[in-house]
């Protein structure tokens, strides 16, 4: 798949428009002041800056009252790390960049888990905030081995987060669960999204094996280390 063809899928375009406030195929960086940056996200938290960059361009979405200052200070994606925090009035904050992946053709692997309520007593605490149902693999004794939570950003796009218990790593559970969850998301009429830290080689392997190519897209934010935004970094070797 060529990175220039990504937004030919209307589901991804719809997701980006709602998530960022606007999408564009223009080259370079486009700053958008969006009310979405003042509203609670999938977990009830407000994220006042979110960007999605591509090899050609992309959109940096900020709260409307900071848009002019950000446009003046941040002209290119290379400016983000050094200039964005100060433009937001938070000079001590850190801008981060993660890998942004999506797919319409997840790997055809056997199902590895079952959907259970997020608050099922067998489900670990890190999966509780996802709400609804989560996708879990239990071991032979009925204990949690690996699981996926789905961040329901909007009806057009849902993000997968995965984690595996240490004793069950190296068996392909993360890869199989991610692919299974991606097929479920597609069946809901949405596009599956997978984010991870660029330095997390385990997440990279899991994503590639599950059918999520790296097309040179990135997710951008400001704050501390992006462990919450990039929860997919819990992924372990498949």
């Amino acid at each position: 798949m060529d990175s220039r063809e990504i937004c030919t899928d209307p589901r991804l375009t719809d997701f980006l428009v709602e998530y960022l406030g606007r999408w564009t195929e223009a080259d370079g960086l486009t700053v958008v002041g969006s009310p979405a940056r003042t509203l609670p996200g999938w977990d009830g938290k407000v994220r006042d800056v979110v960007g999605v960059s591509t090899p050609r361009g992309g959109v940096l979405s900020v709260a409307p009252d900071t848009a002019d200052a950000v446009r003046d200070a941040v002209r290119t994606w290379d400016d983000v790390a050094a200039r964005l925090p100060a433009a937001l009035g938070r000079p001590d904050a850190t801008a981060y960049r993660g890998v942004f992946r999506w797919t319409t053709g997840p790997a055809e692997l056997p199902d590895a888990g079952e959907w259970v309520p997020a608050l099922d007593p067998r489900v670990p605490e890190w999966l509780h905030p996802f709400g609804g149902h989560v996708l879990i693999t239990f071991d032979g004794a009925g204990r949690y081995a690996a699981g996926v939570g789905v961040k329901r950003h909007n009806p057009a796009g849902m993000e997968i987060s995965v984690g595996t218990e240490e004793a069950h790593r190296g068996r392909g559970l993360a890869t199989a669960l991610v692919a299974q969850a991606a097929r479920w998301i597609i069946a809901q009429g949405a596009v599956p999204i997978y984010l991870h830290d660029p330095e997390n080689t385990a997440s990279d392997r899991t994503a590639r094996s599950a059918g999520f190519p790296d097309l040179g897209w990135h997710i951008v934010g400001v704050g501390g280390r992006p462990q919450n935004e990039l929860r997919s970094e819990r992924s372990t070797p498949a």
Side-chain angles (χ1 to χ4, degrees):
M1 185 185 300
D2 189 290
S3 60
R4 292 173 180 263
E5 299 175 354
I6 285 182
C7 276
T8 58
D9 189 295
R11 291 168 297 184
L12 184 63
T13 301
D14 290 346
F15 163 72
L16 292 167
V17 169
E18 184 169 346
Y19 188 53
L20 301 173
R22 180 186 168 193
W23 186 247
T24 176
E25 299 293 340
D27 291 345
L29 181 152
T30 299
V31 176
V32 171
S34 173
R37 301 282 69 79
T38 67
L39 301 174
W42 69 275
D43 57 355
K45 297 179 181 179
V46 175
R47 292 161 179 83
D48 63 350
V49 54
V50 178
V52 175
S53 69
T54 78
R56 289 180 49 194
V59 168
L60 183 62
S61 175
V62 298
D65 62 352
T66 63
D68 288 342
V70 172
R71 286 191 190 99
D72 288 343
V74 183
R75 303 298 181 88
T76 73
W77 290 105
D78 290 337
D79 294 336
V80 168
R83 299 182 181 179
L84 179 57
L88 295 169
R90 293 151 55 192
D92 295 331
T94 300
Y96 62 80
R97 187 177 75 159
V99 179
F100 180 107
R101 302 175 187 245
W102 73 286
T103 187
T104 56
E108 291 294 335
L109 299 171
D111 288 351
E114 59 184 282
W115 294 96
V116 301
L119 297 182
D120 184 296
R122 298 169 296 172
V123 173
E125 186 176 352
W126 78 268
L127 282 163
H128 292 177
F130 292 90
H133 285 68
V134 292
L135 183 62
I136 305 294
T137 297
F138 296 104
D139 66 14
R143 295 173 300 225
Y144 169 86
V148 156
V150 177
K151 299 179 183 180
R152 295 163 174 83
H153 291 296
N154 60 57
M158 303 185 194
E159 179 191 339
I160 294 169
S161 295
V162 62
T164 305
E165 290 294 287
E166 185 173 359
H168 298 279
R169 295 174 185 174
R171 297 170 46 196
L173 292 179
T175 298
L177 286 173
V178 168
Q180 182 180 349
R183 293 192 295 270
W184 178 86
I185 291 170
I186 290 171
Q188 310 312 302
V191 61
I193 296 157
Y194 187 103
L195 309 180
H196 66 89
D197 189 311
E199 296 181 359
N200 191 319
T201 57
S203 277
D204 174 70
R205 289 193 297 271
T206 296
R208 284 187 285 107
S209 298
F212 287 76
D214 183 353
L215 297 169
W217 283 42
H218 292 91
I219 187 83
V220 172
V222 171
R225 189 164 169 72
Q227 292 180 352
N228 183 52
E229 292 306 293
L230 307 185
R231 196 59 185 259
S232 307
E233 68 181 24
R234 296 182 59 94
S235 297
T236 52

